[in-house]
Structures are given as structure tokens and as C-alpha cells.
Amino acid sequence: MNKLSKFCNELSNHTDIKPEIYLSPATSYRARAEFGFSKNYFTMVADKQKIYMDQSSIPHPSIQQLMPNLLSKINESEIIKKKLFQVNFRTSGTKVLATLIYHKPLEEEWIQAAKHLQSSLKNISITGRSKKQKIVIGEEDLEVLCNYGNSSFKILQNDLVFFQPNFYLYSLMIAFITKQLKNPKDLLELYCGCGGFTLPLASKFNNVFATESNRHSIRLLKESIKLNNLSNIETARLSDDETASALANERPFRRLKNIDLQSYEFSHILVDPPRAGLSDETIKLSRQFKNIAYISCNPETFLRDVIKVGRKIESIGIFDQFANTQHLEVVALLK
């Protein structure tokens, strides 16, 4: 039984609603990709075997085309190559961020070599990272133009924050959520990241209050809000449990200075938790909402949380973000 059939079978125990299924291309779909570096090659592990490569068919074509050229340049420089153990990529579709991660301090000779490396390649910015050290050659942040329906927005990301990995399904996830919204007023969003759903949903709600514990994500989201000239989003660096505590008025938070939570008229809550699913505090908070938008990267914890929250599935989409793997992304509206 393949992963789609397996999940649909499990889902049928919870609802009669038939899911909408969105498939990804089998190749060239990843907007971000991480590889090891060993013996002059990029590496990845598949079926417990290390694979050595100069190129991969999984990332977006802009990354694919860069990989062999970058690898050749890395291997031409002992300074760049020495103690390099990982290379991460992110793309806007044209511009690529490449992060080189080391088991050594990065000194002036590395900076000069990295500048030469970047100047010899097109449409690339390079960041070097080692323990307690980050050196940016070019631009640290990547500006991505996202189109969905007749709308578009700009979003900033970098290699320190989470962003949806599938280049083709991300906009379809946004469209699926917006299509399901009924009588939206204000939105509470937990685990907002750098604003992958905050920014496009802001036009559908009167006001949005978005929280996230990662300080890099919050910085980028605030800059993206300005970039898109949006005035109805407020943000706070709070964990899921801290957000629940703040809304219950259990204790004051300095990070909520100048934010009046009582002024919101929340009609929806959006949660996009890690694979472990929702915490007990977040489940308790979610029960206060008539409408829950749940984005899940783990169908098992999603089904567990639906039972705990005690809401019915009104609509559900299955997004096969990772073709040829066992992973699925689920987007559901719970009533």
C-alpha cells in the first residue's frame, strides 16, 4: 500500500470527507536542499548508503545547474575545501543562496577565496558558517516572489529559518487554505516562521497576530511586512505555550508591549507545528476556536491532534511535497 492509500485509509476512520490530492513532480521540485561534502563530492544518504554525486535531480533546476560548477570551484581551492562538511542551497527560482558549513574557524584567507568563488559564478550568494561564526559574501537574505491565484507577495528567507521546501506545491497550499475560509475576521497564527502563510493570508483577514519562537524568522517576517506595505499584521517572538499563556492572561510578556490582545476578534487559528504535533497547551488553546487551519508535516500526529482538539474535519488536502519518499504534508480546516 503506497503512502497516499495508507493515509486515506486511516483518514476514513475519522471522516467521510474525501481529501483533495496534490502531486509533485518527481524531480526538480525542492526549493531548498542540504548535502554533505566528502571526498570531493556532494553526498546524501539513501537506504543507509552514502551516495557521492556532483549533481542531484531533486532540487530546482537553478540549484541543479549550479551544483557541478560550484563543486568544481570548491575542489580547485584547498582553502575553501578544507574541513568543509556540508553545503546547503536555497533558491528563489533564479537567485541561489549557498551555505558552506565547516569544522574550522573561517579566517581572512577564506573570505578572500570565497569572494573569488562567488565572483566566478552567476546568481549566487555565499555564506560561510562554523561554530559561533557566520560570514556573508553577497546577500544574506533571499527575496522570493510568490504567486497564487491573481495575487502575489514578496517574502524574505535565509538558511537559518524554515520555509516550505516544494517549489510547486507551496502556492497550491495557500490557494487551498484561502478557498476554505468562511466569514474571516481576525487570525491567530502559531509557528508562523518567516511568514509563508502570514503574508498571503493577511489580505483575507481584518487583522493577523502571528507568533514564532525563532528570532531570525521574526526579523525576516517584520522586514517582509514592510516590503509588502502591509499594516494589519502584528508579530511577537513567543513559543506556542507562551502564546497560550498570554491569551489566557496568565502573566505579562515584555515582548507584547504595545500589542493589545483584547482588541482582536479571532475567528480562526492557524497552526503549523513541527513533526511532534501540538503541545497540550496549544490543544487547550485551539479548543477555544470555531475554526482551525492545521498544516501538518506528520499525518500521524495530525490525526492524533484532531481527536484531542475535538473538531470535525471540514476539508482536507494532501500535498505530496516529497515525491518518492514516505513523507506527506496535510492541510485541513477543522470546525
Side-chain angles (χ1 to χ4, degrees):
M1 185 182 293
N2 67 34
K3 61 182 177 181
L4 288 168
S5 299
K6 181 183 177 185
F7 178 66
C8 288
N9 190 47
E10 292 171 350
L11 183 66
S12 66
N13 296 321
H14 299 265
T15 181
D16 293 329
I17 299 287
K18 299 301 180 187
E20 295 182 25
I21 296 175
Y22 299 85
L23 301 178
S24 169
T27 60
S28 306
Y29 63 84
R30 287 207 63 142
R32 57 182 176 88
E34 296 82 37
F35 297 93
F37 180 82
S38 177
K39 299 179 181 178
N40 297 346
Y41 285 96
F42 297 120
T43 67
M44 62 183 294
V45 176
D47 298 325
K48 299 182 180 180
Q49 296 289 320
K50 183 179 282 190
I51 301 170
Y52 296 85
M53 65 188 78
D54 61 5
Q55 193 177 41
S56 167
S57 64
I58 297 173
H60 185 271
S62 58
I63 298 175
Q64 286 189 43
Q65 293 160 14
L66 174 65
M67 287 179 71
N69 296 329
L70 177 61
L71 185 67
S72 176
K73 298 294 183 184
I74 289 172
N75 287 326
E76 286 173 7
S77 172
E78 277 301 319
I79 296 168
I80 295 291
K81 184 171 66 172
K82 187 177 181 182
K83 297 293 181 81
L84 174 66
F85 72 93
Q86 186 170 328
V87 182
N88 298 344
F89 297 95
R90 292 189 181 228
T91 185
S92 66
T94 53
K95 182 77 178 285
V96 176
L97 293 185
T99 303
L100 312 183
I101 306 176
Y102 289 87
H103 286 311
K104 70 173 183 181
L106 303 179
E107 299 174 341
E108 183 61 32
E109 60 178 1
W110 182 90
I111 296 173
Q112 296 308 316
K115 286 180 177 178
H116 176 73
L117 172 61
Q118 179 180 278
S119 66
S120 66
L121 297 167
K122 290 182 179 179
N123 298 320
I124 182 176
S125 285
I126 291 173
T127 297
R129 282 191 8 223
S130 65
K131 189 175 182 180
K132 296 182 180 179
Q133 191 179 22
K134 178 181 73 175
I135 297 174
V136 179
I137 311 294
E139 297 175 357
E140 178 181 7
D141 301 332
L142 185 70
E143 181 181 305
V144 181
L145 177 65
C146 298
N147 300 301
Y148 67 103
N150 297 319
S151 302
S152 66
F153 65 97
K154 297 174 183 176
I155 184 167
L156 297 171
Q157 57 166 298
N158 62 32
D159 75 311
L160 296 175
V161 303
F162 173 80
F163 194 75
Q164 291 294 326
N166 193 297
F167 193 84
Y168 304 102
L169 294 189
Y170 170 45
S171 61
L172 298 181
M173 294 171 73
I174 297 169
F176 178 83
I177 294 173
T178 55
K179 183 175 67 175
Q180 315 301 326
L181 296 176
K182 296 173 184 175
N183 303 316
K185 293 179 182 177
D186 295 340
L187 172 67
L188 171 65
E189 182 183 6
L190 277 62
Y191 321 94
C192 68
C194 58
F197 295 101
T198 319
L199 298 165
L201 291 179
S203 64
K204 308 299 178 182
F205 288 87
N206 297 331
N207 298 286
V208 177
F209 178 54
T211 67
E212 164 65 49
S213 60
N214 183 304
R215 60 168 47 87
H216 303 288
S217 294
I218 287 292
R219 175 186 71 80
L220 288 166
L221 174 53
K222 287 181 176 179
E223 291 183 19
S224 292
I225 291 169
K226 292 178 183 176
L227 193 63
N228 291 279
N229 297 313
L230 297 171
S231 58
N232 65 331
I233 302 173
E234 288 188 300
T235 66
R237 187 169 63 82
L238 297 171
S239 70
D240 51 355
D241 287 355
E242 286 174 330
T243 304
S245 179
L247 286 163
N249 207 23
E250 291 176 353
R251 66 184 179 94
F253 288 87
R254 279 186 296 173
R255 283 164 280 170
L256 287 173
K257 187 180 179 182
N258 300 325
I259 296 178
D260 180 10
L261 292 181
Q262 306 307 313
S263 68
Y264 283 92
E265 193 177 355
F266 292 120
S267 61
H268 292 70
I269 182 173
L270 186 150
V271 293
D272 185 6
R275 290 188 62 79
L278 301 178
S279 69
D280 289 341
E281 284 299 314
T282 307
I283 285 172
K284 183 179 176 182
L285 171 64
S286 299
R287 288 186 185 131
Q288 301 172 31
F289 289 78
K290 290 182 179 179
N291 303 287
I292 304 171
Y294 194 138
I295 302 168
S296 172
C297 59
N298 186 342
E300 289 184 12
T301 54
F302 164 75
L303 291 174
R304 177 203 71 192
D305 290 346
V306 169
I307 295 170
K308 285 186 175 182
V309 172
R311 293 289 184 272
K312 290 183 178 180
I313 296 173
E314 186 171 70
S315 57
I316 183 166
I318 301 174
F319 295 80
D320 188 7
Q321 291 228 47
F322 305 98
N324 301 317
T325 75
Q326 292 305 305
H327 296 292
L328 286 174
E329 192 96 0
V330 176
V331 180
L333 274 291
L334 312 179
K335 269 281 190 184

